Coordinates of all heavy atoms in Angstrom, one line a residue:
M1 N 20.1 -14.7 7.6 CA 18.6 -14.8 7.2 C 18.5 -14.2 5.8 O 18.9 -13.0 5.6 CB 17.8 -14.0 8.3 CG 16.4 -14.0 8.1 SD 15.5 -13.1 9.4 CE 13.9 -13.1 8.8
A2 N 17.7 -14.8 5.0 CA 17.5 -14.2 3.6 C 16.6 -13.1 3.6 O 15.7 -12.9 4.6 CB 16.8 -15.3 2.8
P3 N 16.7 -12.1 2.9 CA 15.8 -10.9 2.7 C 14.3 -11.4 2.6 O 14.1 -12.4 1.7 CB 16.3 -10.1 1.5 CG 17.5 -10.6 1.2 CD 17.7 -12.1 1.6
R4 N 13.4 -10.9 3.2 CA 12.1 -11.2 3.1 C 11.4 -10.7 1.8 O 11.9 -9.7 1.3 CB 11.2 -10.7 4.3 CG 11.7 -11.2 5.6 CD 10.9 -10.9 6.8 NE 9.6 -11.4 6.8 CZ 9.3 -12.7 7.1 NH1 10.2 -13.5 7.5 NH2 8.0 -13.1 7.1
C5 N 10.5 -11.4 1.2 CA 9.8 -11.0 0.0 C 8.7 -10.3 0.3 O 7.9 -10.8 1.3 CB 9.5 -12.3 -0.9 SG 10.9 -13.1 -1.7
K6 N 8.2 -9.4 -0.4 CA 7.0 -8.7 -0.4 C 5.9 -9.7 -1.0 O 6.3 -10.6 -1.9 CB 6.9 -7.4 -1.2 CG 7.8 -6.4 -0.4 CD 7.9 -5.2 -1.3 CE 9.1 -4.4 -0.7 NZ 8.8 -2.9 -0.7
V7 N 4.8 -9.7 -0.6 CA 3.7 -10.6 -1.1 C 2.5 -9.7 -1.7 O 2.1 -8.8 -0.9 CB 3.1 -11.6 -0.1 CG1 2.1 -12.4 -0.7 CG2 4.3 -12.4 0.4
L8 N 2.2 -9.8 -2.9 CA 1.3 -9.1 -3.5 C 0.1 -9.9 -4.2 O 0.3 -10.8 -4.9 CB 1.8 -8.1 -4.6 CG 0.9 -7.2 -5.5 CD1 0.5 -6.0 -4.4 CD2 1.6 -6.7 -6.6
V27 N -1.2 -14.3 -6.8 CA -0.5 -13.8 -5.7 C 1.0 -14.0 -6.0 O 1.4 -15.2 -6.6 CB -0.7 -14.7 -4.4 CG1 0.1 -14.3 -3.2 CG2 -2.3 -14.4 -4.0
F28 N 1.8 -13.0 -5.7 CA 3.2 -13.1 -6.2 C 4.2 -12.9 -4.8 O 3.8 -12.0 -4.0 CB 3.5 -11.8 -7.1 CG 2.7 -11.9 -8.3 CD1 1.5 -11.3 -8.4 CD2 3.2 -12.6 -9.5 CE1 0.8 -11.3 -9.6 CE2 2.6 -12.6 -10.7 CZ 1.4 -12.0 -10.8
A29 N 5.2 -13.5 -5.0 CA 6.5 -13.2 -4.1 C 7.3 -12.3 -4.8 O 7.7 -12.4 -6.0 CB 7.2 -14.4 -3.7
I30 N 7.7 -11.1 -4.3 CA 8.5 -10.0 -4.8 C 9.7 -9.9 -4.1 O 9.7 -9.4 -2.9 CB 7.7 -8.7 -5.0 CG1 6.4 -9.1 -5.7 CG2 8.4 -7.7 -5.7 CD1 5.3 -7.9 -5.6
P32 N 13.4 -8.3 -3.0 CA 13.9 -6.9 -2.8 C 14.6 -6.4 -4.1 O 15.0 -7.2 -4.9 CB 15.0 -7.0 -1.9 CG 14.7 -8.2 -1.0 CD 14.1 -9.2 -2.0
V96 N 2.9 -3.3 3.7 CA 1.8 -4.2 4.1 C 0.5 -3.2 4.3 O 0.5 -2.3 4.9 CB 2.1 -5.0 5.3 CG1 0.8 -5.9 5.8 CG2 3.3 -6.0 5.1
L117 N 0.3 -7.7 0.9 CA 0.1 -8.7 2.0 C 1.3 -8.8 3.0 O 2.3 -8.3 2.4 CB -0.3 -10.2 1.5 CG -1.5 -10.2 0.6 CD1 -1.7 -11.7 0.1 CD2 -2.8 -9.7 1.3
P118 N 1.1 -9.6 4.1 CA 2.4 -9.7 5.0 C 3.6 -10.3 4.2 O 3.3 -11.1 3.3 CB 2.0 -10.4 6.1 CG 0.4 -10.2 6.1 CD 0.0 -10.0 4.8
T119 N 4.7 -10.0 4.6 CA 5.9 -10.5 3.9 C 6.2 -12.0 4.3 O 5.6 -12.4 5.0 CB 7.2 -9.6 4.3 OG1 7.4 -9.7 5.7 CG2 7.1 -8.2 3.9
M120 N 7.0 -12.5 3.6 CA 7.3 -13.9 3.6 C 8.8 -14.2 3.6 O 9.6 -13.5 3.0 CB 6.5 -14.8 2.6 CG 7.0 -14.3 1.3 SD 6.7 -15.6 0.0 CE 8.1 -16.6 -0.1
D121 N 9.3 -15.3 4.3 CA 10.6 -15.7 4.2 C 10.6 -16.7 3.1 O 10.0 -17.8 3.1 CB 10.9 -16.5 5.5 CG 12.4 -17.0 5.5 OD1 13.0 -17.2 4.4 OD2 13.0 -17.3 6.6
P122 N 11.3 -16.4 2.0 CA 11.4 -17.3 0.7 C 12.0 -18.7 1.0 O 11.5 -19.6 0.4 CB 12.3 -16.5 -0.2 CG 13.1 -15.6 0.6 CD 12.3 -15.2 1.8
Y123 N 12.9 -18.8 1.9 CA 13.5 -20.1 2.2 C 12.4 -21.0 2.9 O 12.3 -22.2 2.6 CB 14.7 -20.2 3.2 CG 16.0 -19.6 2.4 CD1 16.4 -18.3 2.3 CD2 16.7 -20.7 1.9 CE1 17.4 -18.0 1.6 CE2 17.7 -20.3 1.0 CZ 18.2 -19.0 1.0 OH 19.3 -18.7 0.3
E124 N 11.6 -20.3 3.8 CA 10.4 -21.0 4.5 C 9.3 -21.5 3.5 O 8.8 -22.6 3.6 CB 10.0 -20.2 5.6 CG 8.9 -20.8 6.6 CD 8.5 -19.9 7.7 OE1 9.4 -19.4 8.3 OE2 7.2 -19.7 7.7
V125 N 9.1 -20.6 2.7 CA 7.8 -20.9 1.8 C 8.2 -21.6 0.6 O 7.6 -22.4 0.1 CB 7.1 -19.6 1.5 CG1 6.0 -19.7 0.5 CG2 6.6 -18.9 2.7
L126 N 9.4 -21.2 -0.1 CA 9.7 -21.6 -1.4 C 11.0 -22.6 -1.4 O 11.5 -23.1 -2.5 CB 9.9 -20.5 -2.4 CG 8.7 -19.7 -2.7 CD1 9.1 -18.4 -3.5 CD2 7.6 -20.5 -3.4
G127 N 11.6 -22.6 -0.2 CA 12.7 -23.4 -0.1 C 14.1 -22.8 -0.6 O 15.1 -23.5 -0.9
G128 N 14.1 -21.6 -1.0 CA 15.4 -21.0 -1.6 C 15.1 -19.4 -1.7 O 14.0 -18.9 -1.4
V130 N 14.6 -16.0 -3.7 CA 13.9 -15.6 -4.8 C 14.5 -14.4 -5.5 O 15.0 -13.5 -4.9 CB 12.4 -15.2 -4.4 CG1 11.7 -14.6 -5.5 CG2 11.7 -16.3 -3.8
V134 N 7.9 -14.1 -8.5 CA 7.4 -15.5 -8.7 C 5.8 -15.6 -8.4 O 5.4 -15.1 -7.1 CB 8.1 -16.4 -7.7 CG1 7.6 -17.8 -7.8 CG2 9.7 -16.4 -8.0
L136 N 2.9 -17.3 -6.7 CA 2.7 -18.3 -5.6 C 1.4 -18.9 -5.8 O 1.3 -20.1 -5.3 CB 2.8 -17.6 -4.4 CG 3.9 -16.9 -3.9 CD1 3.9 -16.1 -2.6 CD2 5.2 -17.9 -3.8

Side-chain angles (χ1 to χ4, degrees):
M1 178 176 178
R4 298 187 67 79
C5 287
K6 297 174 189 219
V7 178
L8 184 67
V27 176
F28 299 94
I30 304 170
V96 175
L117 304 176
T119 60
M120 58 163 265
D121 179 340
Y123 281 94
E124 185 179 304
V125 176
L126 299 170
V130 174
V134 176
L136 298 173

